[in-house]
Amino acid sequence: MNERARQKYLSALGIDSFVPRVILPWAPQPRLCPLPEIIEEAHTANRPRLSDTPLDNAPAKRHVKAAGASASVGDVLGDMGIPASSKPVRKVPVSLAAPKARQGVTPLHLHVWRTESNLLILDEHKPGSALPTETLLFNILLACRSQQKPLGAAERMRCPLNDQLAQIYSHADLREELQAWLAEALAQQPETELWLMGGELARCFIPPDNNPLEVRFTWPQLSLSAHSPAVKALIAPSLTDMLEQPALKRPMWKALNGL
């Protein structure tokens, strides 16, 4: 059959053309092919960045100082939008405006004796000392004041009362408290002979510009308060000092006998 007859035959069958089919039974199944990397990079490169997108409602940019740079209070308030007229002005430096811490004082430990002959003795005592201070005092009273009756136990007194107060006390506080106590004690027992024994104890009663060593073994007039008369008192070393330095006993004997 020639080509013209074949076409006429196919037209009669309603077939315009004849395309033979080829079936490959062992061909692999179809699968998706991954896109090339260059296509993905090109797609990413064309994507708009966030920083390139304008923001209509974005706040105005502020100048941020580098880390570690110092900023004054005025700069910080200016960044917050506070006008310059409202900025605070510090007139006194912080170091001068802050309260100064007190140095504190060393507590005074005292032994107090009240004898029958209207004698009031305050002796500066060292805590933990085992020296026979009461025996020495009795011998002094026996030789200089004709004391025959043995002394009773001494009253123990500490000023300030505890270590917490000692840390915040000044010498002026210590002086004021001891003078107030002594003024009250002398008001209850007038015409009393007074002995103040110990250098630190004497500093609380003599004028601040006086040296306790210069007025030792003397009888100065002490003014305890504005409402009480001046009091005559003997300024002497403590009993502990006289036991540790026996040479102090002779001037003590002279001061008590008016020599």
Side-chain angles (χ1 to χ4, degrees):
M1 179 182 298
N2 56 18
E3 182 65 25
R4 184 176 180 181
R6 188 173 63 84
Q7 290 294 336
K8 186 177 181 181
Y9 174 76
L10 293 176
S11 298
L13 295 177
I15 301 174
D16 295 334
S17 63
F18 175 76
V19 179
R21 291 187 178 181
V22 180
I23 301 177
L24 301 178
W26 303 106
Q29 294 294 327
R31 59 186 178 86
L32 296 177
C33 179
L35 296 176
E37 292 295 333
I38 187 172
I39 298 177
E40 181 67 22
E41 293 178 356
H43 178 71
T44 305
N46 295 329
R47 183 181 302 171
R49 297 181 181 179
L50 181 61
S51 59
D52 297 335
T53 304
L55 298 178
D56 296 335
N57 299 326
K61 293 183 179 180
R62 295 178 179 177
H63 176 70
V64 180
K65 293 187 177 182
S70 61
S72 64
V73 177
D75 296 336
V76 176
L77 295 178
D79 294 340
M80 297 172 60
I82 300 178
S85 59
S86 302
K87 296 178 182 178
V89 178
R90 186 181 299 278
K91 298 182 179 180
V92 182
V94 177
S95 58
L96 299 179
K100 296 182 179 180
R102 295 189 177 185
Q103 298 296 328
V105 295
T106 301
L108 278 179
H109 297 264
L110 304 177
H111 283 179
V112 181
W113 284 276
R114 292 181 174 89
T115 67
E116 295 179 352
S117 57
N118 288 339
L119 176 60
L120 179 60
I121 302 173
L122 277 69
D123 176 56
E124 186 178 333
H125 181 72
K126 293 181 180 180
S129 175
L131 296 176
T133 54
E134 293 186 4
T135 302
L136 175 60
L137 179 59
F138 177 76
N139 292 335
I140 293 175
L141 294 176
L142 179 63
C144 301
R145 292 296 183 268
S146 301
Q147 175 77 22
Q148 300 294 331
K149 188 176 181 180
L151 294 173
E155 301 176 20
R156 298 179 183 271
M157 178 178 173
R158 171 178 169 155
C159 186
L161 292 177
N162 51 54
D163 293 336
Q164 288 75 16
L165 290 176
Q167 293 176 1
I168 63 175
Y169 260 45
S170 64
H171 179 71
D173 298 328
L174 186 65
R175 178 187 181 95
E176 181 180 355
E177 183 168 331
L178 283 176
Q179 288 189 7
W181 177 88
L182 184 57
E184 182 66 22
L186 294 177
Q188 297 177 2
Q189 188 178 357
E191 299 180 1
T192 299
E193 185 179 354
L194 177 63
W195 295 2
L196 300 177
M197 308 182 71
E200 292 301 319
L201 175 63
R203 287 185 61 222
C204 295
F205 294 95
I206 62 177
D209 54 346
N210 286 5
N211 188 345
L213 296 178
E214 296 177 355
V215 297
R216 193 163 59 179
F217 305 113
T218 62
W219 295 81
Q221 296 284 340
L222 306 179
S223 179
L224 301 179
S225 66
H227 306 286
S228 60
V231 179
K232 186 178 181 180
L234 171 65
I235 307 298
S238 65
L239 296 173
T240 301
D241 289 342
M242 285 190 285
L243 287 173
E244 294 176 347
Q245 305 175 45
L248 296 175
K249 296 179 182 179
R250 182 176 294 275
M252 178 67 175
W253 184 83
K254 292 182 179 180
L256 290 176
N257 289 279
L259 301 177

